[in-house]
Amino acid sequence: MTQSLRFFRSTPVLPGFSISFGISTLYISLVILLPISALLIYVSGMTWSQYWFAITDVRVLQSYKVTLTGAFYSTVAVTAIGFVWAWIITRYNFPGRRLLDSLVDLPFALPTSVAGLTLSTLFIPSGWLGQFFDMVGIKISYAFPGIVVAMIFTSIPFIVRSVQPVLEDMEKELEEAALMLGANKWQIFWRVILPTLVPALIAGSSQAFIRSLGEFGAVIMIAGNIPFETEVTSLMLFVRLQEFNYPAAAAIASVVLLASLTLLFILQLIQGRLFNKSMGA
């Protein structure tokens, strides 16, 4: 408490701190704290038995499993794809490099429902890409793999944009020194480059996983939304809202919120420890 008071009473280094702090606090209050407060108000009106029944319904529990499994597989895939993507646009100069770099942000600019509709059209058995998977008996659209594909598409920018600046700022002298000491390319990658990228990979993959947990528009367009098979948690939220069961929807949303906040908190701890370890080294 004393340190907090001392911080606010101290003279700021940069001008305009009071206005900036006030605007930031107002923005956080309106965009984050107010919706969370409304969510907690809905949940607080439920008894524990009602809350437990809402979040442990058999259909809802299956949606947790589908969401977590899809988010896990998509995060593993997107970490590998995003790393290679970041490596290519950072380490190589070729025609179309800027276009490839700009395409990374396409999932942010494109409405998720449009992305989901496009992906479902591409991966249906008669689609441009789906016909090749259909030859080997793999169904993408309106099946569980479609959920993974949609999550990969919407979360890949988190990996690329986390790894890319670290690769760009990496000192080439370290690699040159390792090469002069007799290390081959694989040894340089595993012992010099990869350890430097670990914090960025953890941050990007964690953000991608959290993003996948709450994905709605792209997933429902390609998943088929089959009960107990391809229903995600965000869809169950929508279903409860359509049933005008707002307390149950708020209860399910609180589970997603708690999971996301817990993962963010764990991410901050891991990043803090990695930073302290690097500073100590």
Side-chain angles (χ1 to χ4, degrees):
M1 181 66 69
T2 304
Q3 292 180 350
S4 300
L5 292 174
R6 190 177 301 170
F7 170 77
F8 285 105
R9 290 176 180 175
S10 62
T11 303
V13 178
L14 298 176
F17 170 77
S18 301
I19 297 176
S20 302
F21 182 79
I23 294 175
S24 301
T25 304
L26 178 62
Y27 175 81
I28 292 174
S29 300
L30 293 177
V31 178
I32 300 177
L33 297 181
L34 189 61
I36 291 178
S37 300
L39 176 65
L40 295 177
I41 289 174
Y42 269 113
V43 173
S44 63
M46 305 174 66
T47 62
W48 172 250
S49 59
Q50 291 174 332
Y51 178 81
W52 185 254
F53 178 79
I55 65 174
T56 58
D57 179 76
V58 178
R59 190 175 172 187
V60 176
L61 288 176
Q62 183 62 24
S63 73
Y64 296 155
K65 180 180 178 181
V66 172
T67 304
L68 289 172
T69 307
F72 173 77
Y73 288 138
S74 67
T75 301
V76 172
V78 86
T79 300
I81 298 171
F83 174 77
V84 174
W85 197 335
W87 183 275
I88 291 174
I89 61 179
T90 303
R91 291 300 180 105
Y92 301 100
N93 193 8
F94 53 91
R97 175 178 171 273
R98 292 186 177 181
L99 176 62
L100 188 62
D101 188 13
S102 62
L103 287 176
V104 174
D105 298 320
L106 180 62
F108 287 154
L110 192 67
T112 55
S113 57
V114 176
L117 184 61
T118 304
L119 290 172
S120 64
T121 304
L122 287 173
F123 284 100
I124 57 175
S126 59
W128 289 355
L129 300 177
Q131 58 182 327
F132 300 106
F133 289 95
D134 187 59
M135 291 179 182
V136 293
I138 299 177
K139 185 178 181 181
I140 304 294
S141 292
Y142 314 124
F144 179 76
I147 298 177
V148 178
V149 170
M151 289 180 175
I152 290 174
F153 178 82
T154 56
S155 61
I156 197 167
F158 292 102
I159 298 291
V160 179
R161 293 311 185 203
S162 296
V163 175
Q164 184 180 358
V166 180
L167 282 172
E168 291 175 347
D169 295 337
M170 188 175 294
E171 298 178 359
K172 297 294 181 63
E173 290 79 4
L174 296 176
E175 300 177 44
E176 293 174 357
L179 186 62
M180 292 178 63
L181 291 173
N184 56 42
K185 292 184 178 180
W186 281 109
Q187 289 174 328
I188 293 174
F189 175 78
W190 286 107
R191 298 185 180 183
V192 178
I193 298 176
L194 189 59
T196 307
L197 296 177
V198 166
L201 285 171
I202 293 175
S205 59
S206 301
Q207 292 171 2
F209 183 81
I210 295 170
R211 175 71 176 83
S212 298
L213 289 180
E215 180 53 42
F216 177 68
V219 169
I220 64 171
M221 291 294 180
I222 194 174
N225 308 320
I226 305 172
F228 299 99
E229 292 185 21
T230 59
E231 284 184 332
V232 293
T233 306
S234 55
L235 176 63
M236 292 308 305
L237 251 168
F238 183 71
V239 170
R240 293 295 181 260
L241 290 174
Q242 282 188 320
E243 296 171 349
F244 300 102
N245 192 351
Y246 300 121
I252 298 172
S254 67
V255 174
V256 179
L257 176 64
L258 180 62
S260 300
L261 291 177
T262 302
L263 288 172
L264 286 173
F265 179 72
I266 294 174
L267 175 60
Q268 291 296 323
L269 289 178
I270 294 175
Q271 287 181 319
R273 290 186 178 182
L274 290 175
F275 178 77
N276 294 331
K277 184 178 179 180
S278 63
M279 291 296 290

